[in-house]
Amino acid sequence: MVGEDKRRTYLSLLRRTGEAFLEDGGAVDALLANLAPEERSLLLRYSAAALRADLATRIAGLPDPAVRQMPRDVIIPDDLPQPLVEGLQSFEKRLQSRFRTLLERGHTRSPAYVATAMRVPIRLAVFLAKSGIERWDVVRKRDLVAFFRENPAAHRQAVQRFLQSLEAHRPFRERRGRPVGGGRGMRDTRRQPVPTVLRPAELKQFLADVRERYSDPEYLLAWMVCRLGMIAKKAYEISLDRIRQNGKGQLVIRPALAWIELPSRIGNMLRGLVEEVEPRWADADPDSLCHITLFDKYIPNLDQFSSIVLQCRTRMLRASAIFAAMLDGHLDRVTLRQTMGVSMPTIIKLERLLSVDMHRKLDPDFVQARNARIRGDADD
């Protein structure tokens, strides 16, 4: 656990939970009902396996069983001029308000939503302070050009949205109603770079190397990325309600919208990890398992796993898994979307790697006449 304040909050919650258990189950339920969704998430994330299973069951039975991770803190450097700090704080408040509104309306956002959006504006403020600029209203285009020259990876849209918010404009585009103007139209995917993927044999060899060098949890998480085509973060945060046992006694998993039957070897390996986290998993109500995650108890740091085990090639490995499924005959776009959670633009990009266009149908007589013309057999 990183952060002294976070640790202090968790220990206080754990102490209060223990005192409630000393009274009776009703006291525990009352305590959980009065906790904020972020506090419930903190308890579930860092508690022991047995306590976490009990708390998850009780939270699932509450009238409002919401659980949310605590938002990541935004750190603004102390040595910045006060006018620059005030502009950053104003934008942070707008982001926090938008974050709460989105959650109240049923949307999902990462706990790092505000911190991620603040990253580029803070970097811009540090750059301006080093250049001797102490106020936002004196920033000119040449200052922004110099900033992007020094920070080529910074997104221009992030800077534009931040500067618009300082001018009291709406920093978020209105999407309701009919759009004004002609719009951007369809993208020409032919001009986009072809995605880089591993061939199925290379992907298989990569997984074999991971199996030989790393632990079972690390191999299973890599397998979900390289075989099921899951995003690493989604696979890391998968909850036990999305892992079940079918009527034949085999494990099935729901990476996206559809359930997929796992190979026996992978299923047996995964079953051992699941039962170690929650021994009563097979007989428990699925609703009580939606807050119990699996891999965070075995792999404490996802970023370290992605850089060491996946060798900083997470996106390419996921794309390789989707492309391997296409080569194996799974070409229906809807099926790919429901089983692997892949977006339609990504599917279209990967289809460009196939030798033929599987979604265009031509009349056989037309193809035969064309081939005859190419071979020189036809005179007309």
Side-chain angles (χ1 to χ4, degrees):
M1 186 184 301
V2 179
E4 187 61 31
D5 293 340
K6 186 177 181 180
R7 183 185 300 274
R8 190 181 300 110
T9 302
Y10 169 70
L11 292 177
S12 174
L13 291 172
L14 191 62
R15 187 180 302 109
R16 291 167 58 189
T17 304
E19 293 171 353
F21 268 106
L22 291 178
E23 297 182 22
D24 53 33
V28 178
D29 295 339
L31 172 65
L32 294 176
N34 292 326
L35 291 181
E38 293 79 8
E39 293 175 326
R40 298 172 186 169
S41 175
L42 198 62
L43 271 176
L44 291 172
R45 182 174 178 81
Y46 295 104
S47 297
L51 176 59
R52 182 174 56 163
D54 194 348
L55 293 177
T57 303
R58 294 178 181 274
I59 291 174
L62 295 176
D64 180 17
V67 174
R68 286 194 301 269
Q69 294 186 32
M70 298 185 67
R72 186 178 298 176
D73 295 333
V74 176
I75 301 177
I76 300 177
D78 299 330
D79 55 349
L80 291 178
Q82 187 60 29
L84 295 182
V85 173
E86 291 176 356
L88 292 173
Q89 292 175 343
S90 174
F91 185 57
E92 181 184 359
K93 290 181 180 178
R94 292 194 181 196
L95 288 171
Q96 291 174 345
S97 176
R98 176 175 173 82
F99 179 66
R100 290 191 295 268
T101 301
L102 289 172
L103 294 181
E104 291 172 358
R105 293 180 179 179
H107 299 277
T108 57
R109 287 296 184 273
S110 167
Y113 173 80
V114 176
T116 301
M118 289 290 297
R119 189 178 303 158
V120 174
I122 291 175
R123 194 184 307 171
L124 175 61
V126 173
F127 173 82
L128 295 175
K130 291 181 180 179
S131 303
I133 300 174
E134 299 184 354
R135 305 199 323 266
W136 292 110
D137 58 342
V138 298
V139 177
R140 297 294 179 262
K141 288 185 177 180
R142 60 176 178 269
D143 303 318
L144 300 179
V145 171
F147 169 74
F148 286 119
R149 187 182 299 116
E150 185 174 316
N151 301 270
H155 293 288
R156 284 166 172 75
Q157 184 181 5
V159 174
Q160 182 181 9
R161 176 178 294 177
F162 168 67
L163 295 178
Q164 286 178 349
S165 73
L166 296 180
E167 297 172 0
H169 293 168
R170 294 175 66 93
F172 304 101
R173 188 173 62 181
E174 180 62 66
R175 297 181 180 273
R176 295 177 297 178
R178 190 179 300 275
V180 179
R184 293 183 299 175
M186 296 292 292
R187 289 184 178 180
D188 187 359
T189 59
R190 294 172 297 179
R191 298 183 179 179
Q192 298 180 5
V194 177
T196 303
V197 296
L198 296 178
R199 305 298 297 182
E202 297 174 318
L203 190 63
K204 183 178 180 180
Q205 183 60 46
F206 175 82
L207 274 177
D209 294 340
V210 173
R211 184 71 187 99
E212 182 178 353
R213 298 175 57 187
Y214 298 101
S215 63
D216 288 354
E218 291 170 322
Y219 171 71
L220 284 174
L221 187 54
W223 188 89
M224 289 184 178
V225 175
C226 299
R227 289 300 188 195
L228 299 183
M230 296 185 68
I231 298 174
K233 184 174 178 61
K234 297 292 184 181
Y236 181 76
E237 295 177 347
I238 192 168
S239 53
L240 297 190
D241 65 315
R242 295 169 61 184
I243 304 173
R244 295 183 185 177
Q245 182 174 278
N246 61 14
K248 298 183 293 185
Q250 293 179 313
L251 253 64
V252 293
I253 191 171
R254 184 165 60 87
L257 300 177
W259 290 91
I260 298 175
E261 187 174 297
L262 294 175
S264 299
R265 177 178 61 88
I266 297 296
N268 293 335
M269 191 182 305
L270 184 61
R271 189 195 307 272
L273 300 183
V274 170
E275 291 180 348
E276 186 174 344
V277 171
E278 173 49 88
R280 300 171 296 177
W281 156 79
D283 301 323
D285 181 11
D287 292 338
S288 66
L289 302 174
C290 61
H291 301 306
I292 303 179
T293 53
L294 176 64
F295 288 105
D296 56 341
K297 297 303 176 183
Y298 301 99
I299 305 173
N301 193 312
L302 176 60
D303 294 335
Q304 187 176 4
F305 167 84
S306 299
S307 62
I308 296 177
V309 180
L310 300 183
Q311 303 174 5
C312 297
R313 299 190 295 174
T314 306
R315 291 189 177 182
M316 186 185 69
L317 292 172
R318 182 184 182 235
S320 302
I322 301 168
F323 183 63
M326 291 179 174
L327 293 179
D328 199 32
H330 303 284
L331 297 170
D332 182 69
R333 293 175 174 177
V334 176
T335 302
L336 287 173
R337 181 174 179 82
Q338 291 185 348
T339 55
M340 308 184 84
V342 57
S343 65
M344 196 62 65
T346 301
I347 295 176
I348 295 174
K349 290 179 183 178
L350 291 172
E351 285 176 347
R352 295 170 56 201
L353 298 174
L354 299 175
S355 57
V356 294
D357 187 348
M358 303 301 297
H359 298 279
R360 175 171 295 179
K361 297 181 179 179
L362 300 176
D363 185 80
D365 294 335
F366 173 78
V367 175
Q368 186 176 1
R370 181 203 61 180
N371 294 342
R373 184 65 177 267
I374 294 174
R375 292 192 300 267
D377 299 337
D379 297 332
D380 53 348

